[in-house]
Amino acid sequence: MRKWLFFMVLLIVAGLMFGKVNFASTQMTPAAEREFMLNKLAEFSKKSGIDVEFLNFEYPQLYSRLQAEIRAGKNTLNLIADLQGNLYIMASEGFLSDLKDLKFEGKTFIETLEKFAYVKGEKVFIPWLQATYVMAVNKKAFDYLPRGLSKEDVIRGTEKWTYDALLEWAKNIYEKTKQPLLGFPIGPKGLWHRFLHGYIYPSFTGAQALKFDSVRAVEMWNYLKELFKYVHPASSTWDGMADPLLREEVWIAWDHTARLKPAIVEKPNDFVVVPVPRGPMGRGYIIVLVGLAIPKDADFEEPAKVIDFLTSPEMQVEILKNVGFFPVVQEAVGAVPEGALKVLAEGVINQSATKDSIVSFIPSLGPKSGEFTETYRMAFTRIVFQGEDPAKVVKELGERIRQLFKESGAELPEPDASLF
């Protein structure tokens, strides 16, 4: 009896000494990623005395669980990780706490990402992970830069690194080497549609969909017709740009970081990863953003310590090395070891730190998503490859794009949503 009482006292004392965080996440669900997280959280628990249980959910199940707990006034989940779009929905339902008073020492969150953590004046999440698409440049290409554009301009993404400068650069290379050394993944499984709707459209028009048939859109299509005089013709067959870069079929290429990574890993000293150029409206690019949130009425103390750990430069680098998501704090670049990952990380962080950023989020159109992306590809094929009048094509397809949002009931993505 005495031993039993002693054991119970120990349990009670342990419960008071060590906090508990039930960490619900829609991310890090594949087996290898989950194992990585479990191991890292176990290390954190050992050092901090905070017990963290890592719970994987699909978004609908997480939403339902959180909704039930909020309504019952009984929180068991006290830390959430999800995509920014899903967190917006939770915040609009009043499920999330305002985190603007949380401060973390020793880290500088990228300002562009911080901006999207707010809903109606409340900071509803802390940025945690990002993924994106960038440009990779063979260092040989820098010998052919147009007048007025420096290597530093390209690497840092200054106001001089524009789409007009890219055109001049590609033309210079072509005229001096007799080769078209700019390339894009336009093949059937390539991600060319992401460049069209999430990169060049916002850069020229300020929107992905709403200004599909605007005057600036026509200017953009005419620009692409001129640019493609210097784009490698095999681009229409390429699904990814790593191999063309390694074979030096191209010196400048755009693609998703995961698809560029094999080239950078194989020859890290040959390439630089850089921000995309800017257009008349700014520097449009897609970000996949994951945030960390605390449910309404949950205690902040232990979850905030877990957030502090997960966003530390050291942990951000470990995530990059083991999972492939890129850091959201600027100090992480200094913690990345020399080599391929540093080349990639510097490019991603330089892009997301540009002051003229126009961030695009991929629209959530459900079964209509394929039709959305195919419409951009169709416009490109008809205008650039088949030579149709861009004004005629965008007028025909513009209403189709807008109708997809009406039919699906989907909200407009950024940057379109910010136009209202």
Side-chain angles (χ1 to χ4, degrees):
M1 182 69 176
R2 193 173 296 172
K3 287 183 179 179
W4 182 82
L5 285 172
F6 178 71
F7 179 70
M8 289 300 294
V9 169
L10 278 179
L11 284 178
I12 292 168
V13 170
L16 292 172
M17 287 176 61
F18 302 115
K20 174 72 180 287
V21 173
N22 289 314
F23 180 14
S25 174
T26 62
Q27 307 300 302
M28 309 288 191
T29 56
E33 295 179 14
R34 176 174 169 78
E35 184 179 2
F36 162 76
M37 282 298 295
L38 290 173
N39 290 337
K40 288 298 174 183
L41 289 170
E43 292 174 12
F44 167 78
S45 294
K46 189 174 181 180
K47 291 180 181 178
S48 67
I50 299 172
D51 182 21
V52 183
E53 186 171 358
F54 187 60
L55 306 165
N56 286 125
F57 287 84
E58 294 294 327
Y59 170 70
Q61 288 71 41
L62 176 57
Y63 179 91
S64 297
R65 170 78 174 268
L66 197 56
Q67 181 184 55
E69 291 191 1
I70 297 292
R71 286 178 176 175
K74 184 179 180 182
N75 292 95
T76 58
L77 303 178
N78 50 2
L79 182 60
I80 305 291
D82 204 345
L83 293 170
Q84 142 273 334
N86 294 338
L87 292 171
Y88 283 176
I89 295 171
M90 294 179 194
S92 69
E93 297 289 338
F95 295 170
L96 304 180
S97 297
D98 184 358
L99 307 181
K100 64 173 170 281
D101 291 331
L102 276 185
K103 305 297 179 188
F104 301 99
E105 294 183 3
K107 64 190 71 168
T108 308
F109 288 93
I110 295 168
E111 186 178 344
T112 303
L113 306 182
E114 280 272 272
K115 181 173 68 174
F116 290 101
Y118 287 81
V119 174
K120 295 180 180 178
E122 293 191 355
K123 188 173 186 179
V124 298
F125 67 82
I126 304 295
W128 182 30
L129 311 167
Q130 66 161 320
T132 190
Y133 310 67
V134 288
M135 297 192 95
V137 179
N138 188 310
K139 292 178 182 178
K140 293 179 181 178
F142 288 119
D143 293 335
Y144 302 86
L145 285 168
R147 186 175 299 170
L149 182 70
S150 70
K151 179 179 177 180
E152 192 68 13
D153 287 326
V154 176
I155 290 173
R156 294 295 173 193
T158 73
E159 71 281 355
K160 293 181 181 179
W161 176 219
T162 65
Y163 277 103
D164 285 340
L166 174 63
L167 173 59
E168 288 185 59
W169 194 5
K171 184 179 180 181
N172 271 3
I173 292 171
Y174 180 77
E175 290 178 346
K176 292 175 181 177
T177 68
K178 307 304 178 186
Q179 297 179 74
L181 294 174
L182 171 63
F184 297 94
I186 306 176
K189 295 181 181 178
L191 296 170
W192 175 236
H193 48 280
R194 299 297 183 214
F195 178 81
L196 293 174
H197 76 76
Y199 280 70
I200 198 163
Y201 245 102
S203 296
F204 274 75
T205 74
Q208 295 190 62
L210 282 179
K211 299 185 178 181
F212 186 89
D213 49 1
S214 64
V215 172
R216 284 197 180 275
V218 174
E219 293 172 0
M220 181 271 291
W221 286 113
N222 283 323
Y223 166 82
L224 277 178
K225 288 171 71 174
E226 186 68 20
L227 182 69
F228 264 72
K229 294 176 181 178
Y230 312 108
V231 171
H232 199 296
S235 288
S236 60
T237 68
W238 291 333
D239 294 330
M241 297 309 299
D243 287 341
L245 283 165
L246 287 169
R247 293 192 297 259
E248 293 197 26
E249 291 173 290
V250 295
W251 283 353
I252 306 169
W254 172 94
D255 208 343
H256 192 283
T257 50
R259 297 189 178 196
L260 292 171
K261 185 179 176 183
I264 312 301
V265 168
E266 187 164 332
K267 294 184 177 180
N269 296 322
D270 289 6
F271 301 105
V272 179
V273 173
V274 304
V276 292
R278 63 163 286 143
M281 298 299 290
R283 198 177 312 271
Y285 57 89
I286 289 172
I287 284 180
V288 177
L289 180 59
V290 179
L292 296 164
I294 297 176
K296 202 78 171 175
D297 300 325
D299 184 76
F300 279 24
E301 186 175 355
E302 283 81 14
K305 291 176 182 176
V306 179
I307 293 173
D308 193 31
F309 166 70
L310 292 172
T311 57
S312 65
E314 296 76 17
M315 182 59 178
Q316 292 273 289
V317 172
E318 286 299 308
I319 292 170
L320 171 61
K321 287 159 57 177
N322 289 274
V323 182
F325 278 107
F326 284 84
V328 298
V329 294
Q330 293 180 358
E331 290 80 4
V333 172
V336 179
E338 292 294 329
L341 288 179
K342 193 174 187 71
V343 173
L344 283 161
E346 286 178 340
V348 170
I349 290 179
N350 283 342
Q351 177 168 279
S352 54
T354 53
K355 298 299 183 183
D356 51 7
S357 293
I358 301 177
V359 172
S360 302
F361 293 126
I362 295 172
S364 301
L365 285 163
K368 298 285 184 181
S369 295
E371 191 175 346
F372 174 79
T373 56
E374 184 54 36
T375 302
Y376 286 84
R377 279 182 171 264
M378 184 189 305
F380 168 75
T381 299
R382 289 175 58 180
I383 294 168
V384 178
F385 284 168
Q386 296 174 0
E388 291 190 43
D389 176 19
K392 173 179 174 292
V393 174
V394 296
K395 183 178 180 181
E396 178 186 328
L397 298 178
E399 187 54 38
R400 177 177 175 179
I401 287 287
R402 289 184 287 271
Q403 193 63 29
L404 291 175
F405 286 91
K406 293 176 184 176
E407 291 172 1
S408 65
E411 294 186 4
L412 288 168
E414 289 293 341
D416 304 49
S418 292
L419 296 177
F420 295 96

